[in-house]
Amino acid sequence: MRYSEQSLPVALVAGPLSAIDADVLAIPAFEGEAAAAAAALDDGAGRRVAAAFESREFTGKPGTVFVTPCVTPGWRAQRVMLVGMGQRSACDATGIRRAAAAAGLTSRDRRWRRLVFALPAALALPVEAQSAAEGLTLAAHYSGIYKSDADARPVPIEGLIALPASASADDCAAAERSASRGYILAACSNLARSLANEPANVMTPRAFAEIAVQLAAESGLKADILDEERLSGLNMGLLLGVARGSAEPPRMVVLRYEPARPATTAVLGLVGKGVTFDTGGISLKDPERMHLMKTDMSGGAAVLAAMKAIAALKPDVAVAGVVPLVENMPGGRAMRPGDVVRGAEGKSVEVLDTDAEGRLILADALWYARQLGATHLVDVATLTGAVGIALGRTTTGLFGSPDSWVSLVSRTANRAGDRAWALPLFDDYREQLRSDIADLANVGGRPAGSITAARFLKEFTGGLPWAHLDIAWTAWADEAQPWQPKGPTGVAVRTLAELACAFEEWPSLPA
Ligand code: BES
Ligand code: MN
Ligand code: ZN
């Protein structure tokens, strides 16, 4: 297994910017604030900055940068990079995270190692420090690990965050804690990206389970791996049905975090879809984009990486992570369209389409999370192509009940930079899942495809507070953005970890 974390921890620096030695000093600049940006740099670089604003070479638009040598007398940095922030009034954590990531990616491209990112002092200092640490760390992710030319590897960035000159000693201490939190969250996002990017010949269900065992040992989590025999013993016929077509045996990974001093008896159950490759099975997919189905375990990767973050952040609430792992293949023993299989809870399902496999394995995993004592559930899955038709590539589909739980997940996700939007789950949609011969059909036709998929999952949540994140179009970036290269995004990792830390805000929290 060759996955590796490229990230280096992010440190803080206080004092005047002029005194900071660096290859590049990144200064966030807001639209229409040329004077402020130029004044901060005195004459030397300042005049060039003023000229760049003047000629509109740089306007401060989000995602743009302007680099100039730092010739200001008395300044120690080699270069200054202005990073476009957009309007000051619209600045939020996402804006700072993206600006820091854009600065990091630009530095990496040009092989400048020592990058200092100056906080803009537009938001509360801890929010800025965490977001900047996240952005710098996210920029360190590298996905070309199978390339042979070692010289082509990006240089590791030594990211530093410069605090505003006005910061007190207490401010610095708080910012330090926030930056370390940001580093943990983003390094774990990068871990999920590395896992999701692995080819399916490497990342089999058994390989994923081995990584989980290793990660648990390193992080102080408890791990339990259910093999085929135990899965059959528990009658997980939905999961086993999907696994039948593959020569690779299925697994179910269970990771448990137990706090030293629990503040509540609640248990968060995190469930992630772990289809290591999705051919569609007998309902075979078109070959055109099939190679991307190596990422069909991105939900599972997000749960694993979030468990690692939770183990490091140590919230006072118990968390169980469950990842059902299968390869969906059209082998000679594969499920056929029309087959009826029965899950561990006893419900029978008519499999009208073997490509709707994610909901089958998640159904048994949601049931198992309840057996483990989960009181609140969240699942993450690359579940439907239809979610992208509804929401596009930027926004994760969010479903669930009750509304109080869904809206907490929504707020947490949007703050963490995992943009999510709730779609309805009216009971009327249950009609589309009616089967002539079984309790449920596994597909509900083309209308509202991501909603009926979510509605299927709901049947297996036992009425617990439950939220479902459909990341089919957000787990993988098809195009590079200034703040994010093409490839795996690590979506949902920060959301899940932050949700565990926010347990005091959960609805119906037991004592
Ligand atoms: N893994 C796919 C969903 C997917 C599509 C993920 C595109 C990433 C990008 C899932 O298992 C699937 O095949 N869903 C079907 C459901 C249909 C058969 C009801 C789909 O979306 O076509
Ligand atoms: Mn499928
Ligand atoms: Zn799938």
Side-chain angles (χ1 to χ4, degrees), residues 339-429:
D339 282 3
V340 175
V341 282
R342 199 180 287 281
E345 197 170 6
K347 291 184 179 159
S348 60
V349 177
E350 184 183 13
V351 180
L352 293 175
D353 190 322
T354 65
D355 199 8
E357 84 296 342
R359 62 197 76 182
L360 298 174
I361 68 169
L362 289 167
D364 277 335
L366 285 164
W367 171 82
Y368 196 62
R370 281 153 53 206
Q371 308 314 300
L372 296 170
T375 57
H376 294 70
L377 294 167
V378 182
D379 78 77
V380 188
T382 46
L383 202 63
T384 64
V387 74
I389 306 305
L391 296 172
R393 300 200 172 279
T394 58
T395 306
T396 293
L398 170 60
F399 308 81
S401 65
D403 287 346
S404 53
W405 181 235
V406 174
S407 75
L408 177 63
V409 174
S410 168
R411 266 180 286 133
T412 309
N414 288 302
R415 233 182 268 148
D418 296 325
R419 190 156 287 153
W421 201 260
L423 293 172
L425 209 57
F426 304 120
D427 262 332
D428 312 50
Y429 292 110

Side-chain angles (χ1 to χ4, degrees), residues 273 275 278 285 293 296 328 355 357-358 382-383:
K273 173 175 172 181
V275 175
D278 182 11
K285 285 182 182 296
M293 286 301 123
D296 212 19
N328 189 23
D355 199 8
E357 84 296 342
T382 46
L383 202 63

Side-chain angles (χ1 to χ4, degrees), residues 92-156:
D92 60 4
T94 296
I96 294 176
R97 188 184 304 105
R98 287 182 176 182
L105 289 170
T106 304
S107 304
R108 195 173 76 160
D109 267 1
R110 305 187 193 181
R111 303 187 80 78
W112 300 326
R113 269 174 191 275
R114 296 171 309 150
L115 162 67
V116 176
F117 183 85
L119 296 181
L123 307 174
L125 191 56
V127 174
E128 289 201 353
Q130 179 175 332
S131 307
E134 288 174 1
L136 292 172
T137 305
L138 290 169
H141 175 72
Y142 175 61
S143 56
I145 61 166
Y146 289 100
K147 291 180 189 287
S148 307
D149 180 2
D151 289 342
R153 298 259 162 110
V155 295

